[in-house]
Amino acid sequence: MLARRSLTLGGLAALGMTAAGCATRTPARLEADGSYCRRLGRRPRQKVACTPGSVPPASADADAKRFEPIPGALGLYVLRRRWLDAHRVVELQVDGRPVAATVPASLVRVALAPGRHTLAVEWDGQRTELSIEGAPGDVHAIELVGSSWFWGDRFVWQPSTVDDLRRRAAGTRLVADASLR
């Protein structure tokens, strides 16, 4: 009886480790043209969403992930990182101006003029907006939460804290570092 239980537990442990290996995220890497692609699994050909152009260098990525205030500007940090994120590119707009193409597991940093601003994304004829307001030195940490189900994709804005974004930004890539001052 004890040998059978040990064999069963050993088999379940091996199955669990195998499943955990399949579920691990692939690290953020750049393509040869400088773009960033979000991949599924470990096979290199399974790209699901790529930025249309090259992304900022690794030094800007490390700097942005400190989530510090931007001197003389309203700092905006938009993170896209959820388990069931919609695998599509969506364009982040600020006050009707395109700022960055976001993909799953991506981060955008924008320096804005102090005041009131409207963030928006559009997909499949749908649109979601969020208004923010701030003074110089303020920091807004926001998640763009995408979900994909068999009946369609959905995106919503979720205000967050800098500490939470800092923790969740591991494994993401800075895809845009813009200034709209």
Side-chain angles (χ1 to χ4, degrees):
M1 181 74 170
L2 185 59
R4 186 176 188 187
R5 184 178 296 164
S6 296
L7 184 61
T8 302
L9 288 174
L12 288 174
L15 181 63
M17 287 191 294
T18 302
C22 292
T24 58
R25 295 180 186 257
T26 56
R29 9 177 276 229
L30 299 182
E31 301 299 307
D33 64 357
S35 65
Y36 170 63
C37 295
R38 182 63 182 152
R39 301 172 184 279
L40 276 180
R42 295 177 186 254
R43 286 186 250 163
R45 289 180 291 209
Q46 288 189 302
K47 298 175 190 174
V48 291
C50 297
T51 59
S54 61
V55 298
S59 59
D61 181 69
D63 182 49
K65 288 180 180 172
R66 288 196 294 268
F67 298 97
E68 295 175 341
I70 301 169
L74 167 59
L76 170 64
Y77 294 88
V78 177
L79 178 73
R80 239 184 105 180
R81 182 175 182 224
R82 287 296 169 133
W83 175 69
L84 209 59
D85 197 347
H87 295 295
R88 65 170 56 221
V89 179
V90 289
E91 184 81 25
L92 170 65
Q93 301 172 11
V94 176
D95 299 329
R97 295 167 47 189
V99 174
T102 68
V103 297
S106 66
L107 175 68
V108 175
R109 175 171 63 176
V110 185
L112 298 169
R116 185 175 206 75
H117 300 279
T118 302
L119 314 178
V121 293
E122 295 178 357
W123 73 100
D124 292 341
Q126 299 180 57
R127 180 179 175 92
T128 184
E129 294 182 348
L130 175 71
S131 291
I132 61 169
E133 187 170 357
D138 287 353
V139 173
H140 281 274
I142 301 183
E143 281 195 69
L144 178 56
V145 179
S147 58
S148 186
W149 301 94
F150 63 88
W151 57 81
D153 296 339
R154 179 173 175 239
F155 290 91
V156 294
W157 296 104
Q158 183 174 328
S160 189
T161 65
V162 170
D163 289 336
D164 193 36
L165 243 59
R166 185 178 290 123
R167 183 178 50 80
R168 293 181 46 74
T172 64
R173 183 66 165 94
L174 182 69
V175 295
D177 195 5
S179 178
L180 300 178
R181 294 190 241 193

